[in-house]
C-alpha cells in the first residue's frame, strides 16, 4: 500500500477494515484484504486443478489471454462491498478500530428490510468505477452483477442504489478507502491497475451464470475458518501467503476436478469396444459417429428401442465430446431415485476405467443414497460390497464428529443472506493427506459441482429455477457433458424446466445427450428449438427437424457461424434385434379387488412362465397379490410399489432383477409373477414372458411392453414363444365408450387414455364390457418397428378414436388443464421468455427468489402435483420403540450407532399425498433422534402395539408383505 503512494491515513484505515469477525471466525479476526486475497488464491487453485478446459478457454478469450489472472480477480473482488459502514458496524468489537482510524458513520437503519447488504454495496461502489476506468458501460454491465449476486440473488440496477449515503459511506475518507481496497487488491493479484482488468470481450449470459457459481464456490472455500485462520494484522497479509494457504486448504479438503484434459480416444469406436467392452450395434455406432463429427458442442437426441444400449452409447459419446471440446466430467440424470442407483454403479465402473482414483469423484445425488452400498463404501469409508479395501483412505472414515460443521464456512455476517449452516453428513470432511472423496461437495447445493454425478432429473431442473444460489447448480453443469435418460418421462409441467435448462445449456455451449425410446415428434422439435434458442441467444427459434429415415435415429442440433443446424438420421439404422409381433388382447376390468386380473395371471402361467403385472394403483396391486397369495398360488410371487419401506423395496427390486434380469440364466424360476405399479415402467431391466398391464398412454404402454421378451437367449415355456400382452384397467361402457379406472384417469387424463384405447382396439378388436371373455387378437404390433408410428399417432392431431367416444371434448379438457400446468411452471422459471436475449444477469431474480427450506420443497417446484412427505416406520413396544424390522431403539427412540441408524432408516416410506397435511400436522421426530444428523428432522410414523395408527381421518398400518395399508 505504501509503494502505491497511499497516504498514511489511508493505509491505516484499509488495514483496519475487517472481513470476518473473531466472534464468528474461530476466535480470530480476519481482515477484509486478507479474505479477498484468500478467495483470489482459491480461484487460482481452481483454475489449475478444477475448471474445465472449455471454460478456461472462454475466460482466456474474454480477457485477452489472461484468463487465470482475470478469474482470480473477479472471484476475489466479490466482497469489496464490505468496505462500507453498513457492514463494518455489524460487530461492535470489530468496528472500534475502524472508528479509531477515522472512518465514521451516523445512524444506520435497524429494520432488516432496509439493511444495506455488502453484496449490493460492492456492486454500487464498483459499477461507476468500472464504467469510468474501462470506458465502457457494456463491459462493466456484465461484471458488476457477478459481485451483486454472490449471495445467491441477482438484483436489478435499481437494487444497487443505496437508500441513503450513510449506509454506503459518506465523505472523502470513505471514498478514499473504498478506492484503495479495490486498487490494492487489484495490484496485489497482478494487474497494474483497475483499467488493466478490462475484458476484451463478454461472456454470454449462461456463461456468466456459471462464472457466478464458481465465484461463490471460491468464496465458500475461502470462508472456512478451519482452513483459513484469521489474520488481524495487515503485515501478515500477502498474496503469496494466501496462495500457500489455498493450496493447503484444497488438499486438506480433498478437492479435485475430473478428467483434466482428457486425451482423444485412439480409435473412433474405442470408447465402446475398449472401455465399455461392447460389440457396437448400428445405433450405438451412429451416436458415436455424430459425437466425432459435430463441429462444436451441441444437442444429441437418441431415439432407440428399450434394451438397445442407449445409456452405454451415451457414456461413450460423452467421452468423445469431453475429449474433443474440453469438458471435465459427466452428469447423468435419471427419472427416479430407484433408477439412479443402478446407473450410479454403472458410471462408477465406467469412471474406474479412466483412473481408479476417479471413483471417489462420483456422487450419487438423491436423499436415499445412504442405502446404496457402493456409495456408503466410497463416501463413508466402509467395506466395499465386493470385499475390497476401504475406499476412504483414512482410518476412521472421516473427521472427528465433535468438530463443528459449518455448511459454507460462513459467519453470521454472511448467514443473514441465505448461508445458514447445516449438519454434516456422516463422515464429513477430509483428513490431512486423505485421498478419499471430498465431502465438501456433499454440502447443500453443491452436489453437481462434483466431477461425475448421477441423480434424478430434478437436479437438472433445479438449475432452471429462480431460486437462491441457482448459479452453484448451473456451475456444476457447465463443465460437464449432460446425459438425460428417459427424457420422455417429463410431463408438461416438468418439461417447462427442462426446456429452460436446455436454453441455458445451449447458450453455455454444454453438450447434452437426451435418450428416449418413445419420444413424440413434437417433443423432439421442442427440445431442439430450446437448445438452439440458447445457442442463438434469442427466444424465437424454430429450426425444423427433418423426419428421421427410420428407428432407431439420432438427431443433432448446434450452431456454427451464426447459423442454427438441426439434422437427423438420413439412412435407416437397424435395431439390434429384429422386430417381432406382439399380440394384444383385452382383459376388461375396472375393479380394485384384483379378482379378474388374478384369474388371468393363473391362466397365463398355468404351464409355467414369468408374468409381469403392472397396474396404476397401489391398492389394486395389493389386492391382486392378496388374492393370489390367499388362494395358494404355486410359484414365486413378488409385490413392488412405492409404499414399501426403503430397505425391503430395494431388496425386492434386487431379487426380481436377479431372477428375471439379463444375468438370470438358470436362476429364472419355472413359474413366477411380479405385481408392480409404475416402478416397473422404465429402467427396470427385466424380461417377462407375458405382460398384464393397466391401460396407460401409448408411450408408457410401449415402455411397459419393453419389459416383455427383452433379452435374447432367455429360455421360455412353449406357451410363451410369442410375446403377449393383456390390457386391463378399462372396460367397454355404454355405446362402447371406454370406462377407465378412476386412478388412471386422475393420473393421465381422459384424452390420452382414449387415444391409447383406440390404438389398442385396432389390433385387439372391440373393447368388451367387464366380465366378457377376452377378445381375439387381430393384427399384432410389430415391436420395435411400430414404436415411432404409434407414439406419433397417439400425440398427433389426426383423430384416432371411433365416433361417439367424444374425443374432441376430452381433448379440450386436457388442453385446458395442460395450459394451466404450463402457466403454473412459468412462475418459477429462471428467466422470463421475453428477457432471454438480455446480455447480463442484472435483474435475473426479477420477482425475488424461491427459498425452499428442504430438498422436498425444492423438488416440489419442478414436479407438479400434490406434495408428499417421507416418514420412518416405528413400532411402539413396552418400554420404548422398535424399528420397522424389530430392532430395539430405546425408551425415547435413542439410536446408539450407525448400524441401528441404517436399520431404522430402512423403514423410510413415502406417504400418499392425501395424508400429507395430516403427517405434517401430527408427526414429529422421536425425542431420542435430536442429536442424530440423519434423523433429527425425520418424521416418525409410530404404529401402536396393534400395528395401526390414526393419521388425520385415516387409519394406516404397515404389513411386511403388502407395505403401507390404508383402512377405511
Amino acid at each position: 500500500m505504501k509503494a502505491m503512494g497511499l497516504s498514511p491515513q489511508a493505509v491505516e484505515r484499509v488495514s483496519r477494515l475487517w472481513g470476518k469477525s473473531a466472534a464468528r471466525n474461530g476466535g480470530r479476526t480476519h481482515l477484509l484484504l486478507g479474505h479477498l486475497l484468500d478467495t483470489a488464491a482459491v480461484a487460482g487453485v481452481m483454475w489449475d486443478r478444477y475448471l474445465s478446459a472449455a471454460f478456461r478457454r472462454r475466460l482466456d478469450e474474454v480477457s485477452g489471454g489472461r484468463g487465470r489472472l482475470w478469474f482470480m480477480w473477479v472471484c476475489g473482488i466479490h466482497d469489496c462491498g464490505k468496505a462500507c459502514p453498513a457492514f463494518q458496524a455489524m460487530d461492535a468489537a470489530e468496528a472500534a478500530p475502524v472508528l479509531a482510524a477515522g472512518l465514521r458513520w451516523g445512524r444506520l437503519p435497524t429494520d432488516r428490510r432496509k439493511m444495506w447488504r455488502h453484496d449490493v454495496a460492492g456492486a454500487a461502489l464498483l459499477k461507476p468505477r468500472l464504467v469510468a476506468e474501462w470506458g465502457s458501460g457494456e463491459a462493466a454491465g456484465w461484471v458488476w452483477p457477478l459481485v451483486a449476486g454472490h449471495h445467491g440473488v441477482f438484483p436489478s440496477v435499481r437494487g444497487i442504489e443505496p437508500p441513503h449515503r450513510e449506509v454506503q459511506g459518506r465523505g472523502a475518507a470513505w471514498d478514499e478507502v473504498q478506492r484503495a481496497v479495490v486498487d490494492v487488491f487489484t495490484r496485489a493479484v497482478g494487474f497494474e491497475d483497475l483499467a488493466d482488468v478490462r475484458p476484451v470481450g463478454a461472456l454470454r449470459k449462461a456463461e456468466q451464470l456459471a462464472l457466478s457459481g464458481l465465484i461463490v464456490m471460491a468464496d465458500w472455500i475461502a470462508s472456512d475458518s478451519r482452513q483459513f485462520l484469521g489474520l488481524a494484522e495487515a503485515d501478515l497479509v500477502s498474496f503469496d501467503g494466501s496462495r500457500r494457504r489455498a493450496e493447503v486448504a484444497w488438499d486438506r479438503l480433498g478437492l479435485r476436478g475430473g478428467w483434466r484434459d482428457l486425451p482423444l480416444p485412439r480409435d473412433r469406436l474405442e470408447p465402446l469396444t475398449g472401455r465399455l467392452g461392447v460389440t457396437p450395434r448400428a445405433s450405438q455406432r451412429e451416436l458415436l459417429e455424430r459425437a466425432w463429427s459435430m463441429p462444436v458442442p451441441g444437442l444429441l437426441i437418441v431415439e432407440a428401442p428399450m434394451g438397445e444400449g442407449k445409456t452405454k452409447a451415451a457414456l461413450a459419446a460423452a467421452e468423445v465430446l469431453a475429449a474433443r471440446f474440453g469438458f471435465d466430467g459427466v452428469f447423468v440424470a435419471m427419472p427416479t431415485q430407484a433408477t439412479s442407483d443402478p446407473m450410479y454403479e454403472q458410471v462408477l465402473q465406467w469412471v474406474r476405467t479412466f483412473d481408479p482414483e476417479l471413483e471417489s469423484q462420483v456422487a450419487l445425488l438423491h436423499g436415499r443414497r445412504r442405502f446404496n452400498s457402493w456409495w456408503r463404501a466410497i463416501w463413508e469409508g466402509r467395506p466395499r460390497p465386493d470385499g475390497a479395501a476401504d475406499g476412504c483412505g483414512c482410518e476412521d472414515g472421516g473427521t472427528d464428529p465433535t468438530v463443528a460443521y459449518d455448511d459454507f464456512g460462513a459467519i453470521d455476517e454472511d448467514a443473514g443472506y441465505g448461508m445458514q449452516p447445516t449438519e454434516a453428513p456422516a463422515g464429513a470432511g477430509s483428513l490431512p493427506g486423505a485421498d478419499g472423496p471430498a465431502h465438501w461437495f456433499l454440502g447443500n447445493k453443491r452436489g453437481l459441482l462434483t466431477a461425475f454425478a448421477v441423480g434424478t432429473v430434478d437436479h437438472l431442473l433445479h438449475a432452471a429455477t429462480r431460486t437462491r444460489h441457482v448459479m452453484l447448480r448451473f456451475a456444476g453443469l457447465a463443465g460437464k457433458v449432460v446425459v438425460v435418460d428417459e427424457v420422455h418421462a417429463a410431463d408438461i409441467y416438468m418439461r417447462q424446466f427442462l426446456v429452460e435448462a436446455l436454453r441455458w445449456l445451449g447458450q453455455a455451449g454444454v453438450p447434452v445427450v437426451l435418450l428416449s425410446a418413445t419420444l413424440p415428434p413434437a417433443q423432439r422439435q421442442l427440445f431442439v428449438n430450446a437448445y438452439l434458442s440458447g445457442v442463438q441467444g434469442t427466444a424465437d427459434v424454430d429450426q425444423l427437424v427433418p423426419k428421421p429415415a427410420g428407428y432407431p435415429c439420432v438427431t443433432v442440433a448446434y450452431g456454427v457461424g451464426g447459423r442454427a443446424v438441426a439434422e437427423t438420421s438420413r439412412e435407416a439404422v437397424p435395431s439390434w434385434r429384429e422386430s417381432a409381433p406382439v399380440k394384444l388382447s383385452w382383459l376388461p376390468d375396472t375393479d380394485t379387488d384384483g379378482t379378474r386380473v388374478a384369474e388371468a395371471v393363473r391362466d397365463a402361467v398355468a404351464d409355467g412362465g414369468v408374468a409381469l403385472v403392472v397396474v396404476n394403483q397401489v391398492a389394486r396391486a395389493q389386492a391382486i397379490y392378496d388374492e393370489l397369495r390367499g388362494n395358494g398360488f404355486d410359484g414365486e410371487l413378488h409385490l413392488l410399489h412405492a409404499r414399501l419401506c426403503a430397505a425391503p423395496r430395494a431388496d425386492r427390486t434386487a431379487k426380481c432383477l436377479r431372477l428375471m434380469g439379463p444375468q438370470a440364466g438358470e436362476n429364472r424360476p419355472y413359474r413366477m409373477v411380479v405385481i408392480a405399479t409404475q416402478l416397473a415402467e422404465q429402467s427396470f431391466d427385466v424380461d417377462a414372458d407375458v405382460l398384464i398391464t393397466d391401460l396407460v398412454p401409448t408411450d408408457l404402454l410401449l415402455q411397459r411392453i419393453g419389459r416383455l421378451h427383452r433379452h435374447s437367449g432367455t429360455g421360455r415355456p412353449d406357451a410363451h414363444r410369442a410375446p403377449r400382452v393383456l390390457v386391463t384397467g378399462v372396460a367397454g361402457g355404454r355405446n362402447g365408450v371406454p370406462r377407465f379406472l378412476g386412478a388412471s384417469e386422475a393420473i393421465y387424463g381422459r384424452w390420452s387414455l382414449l387415444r391409447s384405447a383406440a390404438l389398442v382396439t385396432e389390433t385387439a378388436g372391440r373393447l368388451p364390457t367387464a366380465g366378457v371373455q377376452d377378445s381375439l387378437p387381430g393384427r399384432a404390433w410389430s415391436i420395435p418397428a411400430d414404436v415411432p408410428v404409434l407414439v406419433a399417432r397417439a400425440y398427433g392431431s389426426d383423430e384416432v378414436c371411433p365416433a361417439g367416444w367424444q374425443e374432441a371434448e376430452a381433448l379440450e379438457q386436457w388442453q385446458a388443464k395442460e395450459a394451466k400446468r404450463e402457466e403454473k411452471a412459468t412462475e418459477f422459471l429462471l428467466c422470463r421468455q421475453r428477457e432471454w436475449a438480455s446480455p447480463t444477469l442484472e435483474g435475473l431474480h426479477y420477482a425475488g427468489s424461491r427459498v425452499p427450506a428442504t430438498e422436498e420443497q425444492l423438488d416440489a417446484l419442478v414436479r407438479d402435483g400434490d406434495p408428499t412427505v417421507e416418514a420412518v416406520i416405528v413400532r411402539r413396544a413396552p418400554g420404548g420403540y422398535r424399528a420397522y424390522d424389530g430392532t430395539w431403539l430405546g425408551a425415547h427412540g435413542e439410536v446408539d450407532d450407525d448400524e441401528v441408524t441404517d436399520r431404522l432408516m430402512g423403514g423410510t416410506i413415502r406417504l400418499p399425498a392425501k395424508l400429507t397435511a395430516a403427517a405434517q400436522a401430527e408427526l414429529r421426530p422421536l425425542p431420542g433422534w435430536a442429536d442424530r444428523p440423519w434423523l433429527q428432522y425425520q418424521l416418525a410414523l409410530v404404529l401402536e402395539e396393534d400395528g395401526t395408527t390414526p393419521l388425520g381421518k385415516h387409519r394406516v398400518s404397515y404389513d411386511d408383505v403388502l407395505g403401507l395399508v390404508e383402512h377405511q
Side-chain angles (χ1 to χ4, degrees):
M1 288 190 284
K2 293 176 181 176
M4 290 174 62
L6 294 183
S7 68
Q9 294 91 340
V11 172
E12 175 69 12
R13 289 163 180 165
V14 173
S15 299
R16 291 291 175 256
L17 295 175
W18 62 278
K20 305 287 182 182
S21 70
R24 303 296 182 184
N25 195 53
R28 299 177 59 147
T29 301
H30 195 32
L31 295 180
L32 176 56
L33 274 178
H35 177 59
L36 301 187
L37 291 173
D38 286 345
T39 308
V42 170
V45 180
M46 289 170 59
W47 178 278
D48 296 336
R49 300 164 66 176
Y50 180 80
L51 264 64
S52 69
F55 203 73
R56 296 198 307 267
R57 187 163 54 245
R58 282 294 291 135
L59 289 178
D60 272 333
E61 289 171 0
V62 301
S63 65
R66 298 186 293 177
R68 186 178 190 275
L69 184 60
W70 198 87
F71 180 61
M72 290 192 295
W73 179 86
V74 78
C75 287
I77 201 66
H78 76 287
D79 259 356
C80 65
K82 287 184 175 178
C84 74
F87 182 84
Q88 293 297 310
M90 288 183 70
D91 185 290
E94 305 293 353
V98 179
L99 291 166
L103 290 171
R104 297 280 189 267
W105 51 81
R107 185 179 180 131
L108 299 172
T110 56
D111 185 341
R112 195 168 187 81
R113 293 170 298 179
K114 297 179 181 179
M115 290 178 68
W116 187 234
R117 305 195 322 262
H118 71 263
D119 47 359
V120 293
L125 73 86
L126 199 59
K127 178 176 178 287
R129 286 204 61 190
L130 297 182
V131 173
E133 300 191 35
W134 288 359
S136 168
E138 181 179 346
W142 70 269
V143 173
W144 71 257
L146 300 174
V147 174
H150 82 265
H151 275 298
V153 175
F154 297 101
S156 66
V157 69
R158 292 181 182 177
I160 64 169
E161 296 174 0
H164 51 80
R165 283 295 307 275
E166 201 65 50
V167 294
Q168 183 72 355
R170 181 166 53 188
W174 275 110
D175 288 342
E176 181 184 38
V177 79
Q178 289 169 350
R179 291 184 66 87
V181 166
V182 173
D183 291 342
V184 170
F185 166 75
T186 300
R187 178 77 68 87
V189 169
F191 285 104
E192 292 183 10
D193 51 31
L194 191 58
D196 190 31
V197 181
R198 177 183 173 175
V200 299
L203 293 177
R204 307 183 81 191
K205 184 162 68 173
E207 295 169 328
Q208 296 168 31
L209 189 65
L211 175 58
S212 176
L214 295 170
I215 292 170
V216 174
M217 178 178 174
D219 179 26
W220 287 4
I221 294 171
S223 294
D224 187 342
S225 62
R226 295 165 298 180
Q227 313 299 334
F228 294 84
L229 298 178
L231 302 176
E233 300 297 328
D235 290 346
L236 301 176
V237 175
S238 72
F239 195 37
D240 284 342
S242 289
R243 282 193 288 244
R244 289 191 294 271
R245 285 150 61 93
E247 290 282 355
V248 171
W250 188 268
D251 289 336
R252 282 178 59 90
L253 291 170
L255 300 171
R256 62 163 291 168
W259 281 308
R260 311 306 298 150
D261 303 316
L262 181 68
L264 284 170
R266 294 166 295 180
D267 176 81
R268 294 176 83 85
L269 290 177
E270 197 273 336
L272 272 173
T273 58
R275 195 168 307 285
L276 289 166
V278 170
T279 300
R281 295 166 178 166
S283 61
Q284 294 173 323
R285 286 175 178 268
E286 183 183 17
L287 175 58
L288 211 55
E289 182 55 41
R290 288 288 189 174
W292 277 108
S293 63
M294 291 174 69
V296 293
L299 173 70
L300 298 99
I301 303 177
V302 183
E303 298 170 64
M306 294 69 75
E308 185 76 16
K310 295 185 291 293
T311 307
K312 286 187 176 180
L315 293 179
E319 177 184 350
V320 173
L321 294 167
R324 290 186 63 213
F325 301 119
F327 291 87
D328 201 41
V330 171
F331 172 57
V332 182
M334 302 298 293
T336 63
Q337 291 184 2
T339 57
S340 297
D341 284 88
M343 180 53 60
Y344 167 68
E345 293 169 28
Q346 183 172 339
V347 170
L348 268 180
Q349 295 172 11
W350 176 64
V351 165
R352 283 193 208 102
T353 66
F354 296 96
D355 181 349
E357 292 185 2
L358 283 177
E359 74 167 13
S360 64
Q361 309 306 314
V362 184
L364 178 59
L365 306 181
H366 67 65
R368 291 185 176 178
R369 63 190 175 199
R370 180 182 177 86
F371 302 108
N372 184 285
S373 57
W374 273 104
W375 187 88
R376 293 286 299 276
I378 293 170
W379 287 80
E380 295 187 6
R382 293 174 177 249
R384 301 297 179 87
D386 59 2
D390 180 2
C392 184
C394 45
E395 292 181 358
D396 62 359
T399 55
D400 181 347
T402 63
V403 175
Y405 187 85
D406 182 352
D407 191 28
F408 311 136
I411 57 174
D412 278 1
E413 292 88 10
D414 290 324
Y417 310 122
M419 298 172 64
Q420 302 294 344
T422 63
E423 290 294 333
S430 294
L431 291 177
D435 59 359
H439 288 87
W440 187 90
F441 288 124
L442 297 184
N444 191 23
K445 308 174 185 177
R446 306 178 198 167
L448 283 173
L449 293 169
T450 317
F452 305 95
V454 178
T456 63
V457 71
D458 302 59
H459 291 87
L460 172 62
L461 307 185
H462 294 165
T465 58
R466 199 178 63 256
T467 47
R468 188 180 292 273
H469 291 119
V470 66
M471 69 283 287
L472 267 177
R473 306 181 197 280
F474 192 77
L477 296 172
K480 296 179 175 65
V481 180
V482 175
V483 178
V484 186
D485 201 5
E486 310 277 12
V487 71
H488 58 269
D491 62 19
I492 192 168
Y493 181 88
M494 296 173 66
R495 208 175 300 142
Q496 306 311 305
F497 298 98
L498 179 57
V499 164
E500 180 77 353
L502 288 173
R503 288 195 191 104
W504 286 87
L505 293 170
Q507 190 175 74
V510 174
V512 178
V513 185
L514 305 181
L515 309 177
S516 177
T518 54
L519 189 67
Q523 288 188 35
R524 180 198 308 136
Q525 184 68 60
L526 177 68
F527 297 151
V528 165
N529 286 344
Y531 190 88
L532 290 177
S533 73
V535 171
Q536 300 289 91
T538 179
D540 300 310
V541 171
D542 189 9
Q543 185 68 31
L544 182 64
V545 178
K547 184 178 179 180
Y551 177 79
C553 65
V554 177
T555 300
V556 297
Y558 54 86
V560 61
R563 181 173 61 93
V565 177
E567 302 171 343
T568 193
S569 301
R570 294 181 290 274
E571 297 180 1
V573 176
S575 175
W576 71 280
R577 62 177 179 180
E578 293 184 0
S579 291
V582 175
K583 296 181 180 180
L584 283 77
S585 303
W586 291 116
L587 176 61
D589 176 55
T590 56
D591 294 331
T592 58
D593 64 11
T595 303
R596 183 86 172 97
V597 175
E599 291 174 358
V601 169
R602 284 196 186 87
D603 291 343
V605 295
D607 296 322
V610 175
L612 176 63
V613 182
V614 186
V615 295
N616 299 339
Q617 189 177 19
V618 172
R620 183 164 157 88
Q622 291 171 327
I624 295 168
Y625 180 93
D626 232 4
E627 204 281 337
L628 285 169
R629 180 180 59 170
N631 287 284
F633 176 75
D634 181 20
E636 292 257 4
L637 187 59
H638 301 279
L639 177 65
L640 276 176
H641 57 73
R643 295 182 200 164
L644 294 168
C645 288
R649 175 173 156 183
D651 290 343
R652 291 188 197 182
T653 302
K655 186 171 184 179
C656 289
L657 289 170
R658 185 171 66 253
L659 295 176
M660 56 189 297
Q663 308 301 323
E666 296 181 357
N667 292 325
R668 188 176 175 88
Y670 170 71
R671 183 181 290 109
M672 174 175 168
V673 175
V674 176
I675 303 161
T677 56
Q678 290 90 335
L679 295 179
E681 195 166 86
Q682 54 199 7
S683 299
F684 189 48
D685 192 9
V686 296
D687 184 336
D689 296 322
V690 61
L691 172 69
I692 301 177
T693 173
D694 280 346
L695 183 72
V696 287
T698 305
D699 54 334
L700 302 182
L701 180 59
L702 290 166
Q703 287 287 337
R704 295 181 182 186
I705 292 174
R707 315 305 125 192
L708 186 63
H709 287 227
R710 183 180 179 92
H711 304 137
S712 60
T714 300
R716 307 183 196 282
D718 291 340
H720 298 297
R721 294 297 179 192
R724 186 165 64 98
V725 179
L726 294 177
V727 181
T728 186
V730 59
R734 181 178 298 179
N735 300 322
V737 178
R739 291 187 296 108
F740 304 116
L741 279 169
S744 299
E745 196 162 339
I747 296 168
Y748 303 110
R750 185 170 180 79
W751 176 75
S752 60
L753 292 175
L754 283 173
R755 290 180 74 88
S756 183
L759 292 175
V760 174
T761 298
E762 293 177 358
T763 180
R766 182 182 59 83
L767 179 62
T769 58
V772 175
Q773 291 296 317
D774 303 346
S775 58
L776 295 175
R779 185 182 65 83
W781 283 354
S782 181
I783 303 297
D786 286 349
V787 168
V789 176
L790 289 167
V791 173
R793 291 185 65 201
Y795 292 97
S797 56
D798 295 340
E799 291 187 4
V800 298
C801 296
W805 281 22
Q806 298 177 317
E807 179 185 356
E809 180 181 337
L811 173 61
E812 184 178 344
Q813 294 173 352
W814 180 79
Q815 288 176 331
K817 183 177 179 180
E818 295 290 271
K820 288 182 180 179
R821 297 179 69 200
E822 184 175 356
E823 181 63 26
K824 179 181 176 183
T826 60
E827 299 175 18
F828 311 119
L829 293 179
L830 183 52
C831 184
R832 287 184 289 201
Q833 187 178 23
R834 306 320 310 174
E835 295 180 2
W836 174 245
S838 170
T840 80
L841 296 171
E842 183 262 322
L844 185 67
H845 290 84
Y846 56 90
S849 65
R850 302 286 298 189
V851 190
T854 66
E855 197 74 12
E856 286 182 340
Q857 290 176 359
L858 182 57
D859 288 343
L861 287 184
V862 297
R863 288 185 183 262
D864 196 15
D866 297 328
T868 60
V869 297
E870 286 187 339
V872 178
I873 299 288
V874 176
R875 302 185 190 277
R876 195 183 299 279
Y881 301 89
R882 294 187 181 276
Y884 84 102
D885 67 349
T887 301
W888 175 251
L889 300 180
H892 303 289
E894 295 89 347
V895 177
D896 296 330
D897 55 37
D898 282 350
E899 182 178 351
V900 175
T901 299
D902 289 348
R903 289 178 175 273
L904 178 61
M905 292 289 284
T908 303
I909 192 168
R910 184 163 293 278
L911 300 174
K914 62 184 176 183
L915 299 179
T916 297
Q920 291 174 333
E922 300 172 19
L923 303 185
R924 296 290 183 272
L926 292 183
W929 298 352
D931 61 346
R932 304 293 296 187
W934 280 98
L935 295 172
Q936 60 182 340
Y937 301 115
Q938 290 285 346
L939 301 179
L941 180 63
V942 180
L943 303 178
E944 301 301 331
E945 294 186 41
D946 67 352
T948 71
T949 191
L951 192 55
K953 297 179 181 178
H954 303 268
R955 179 167 288 275
V956 298
S957 65
Y958 187 83
D959 183 273
D960 289 339
V961 176
L962 296 178
L964 190 76
V965 178
E966 300 173 45
H967 302 275
Q968 298 297 329

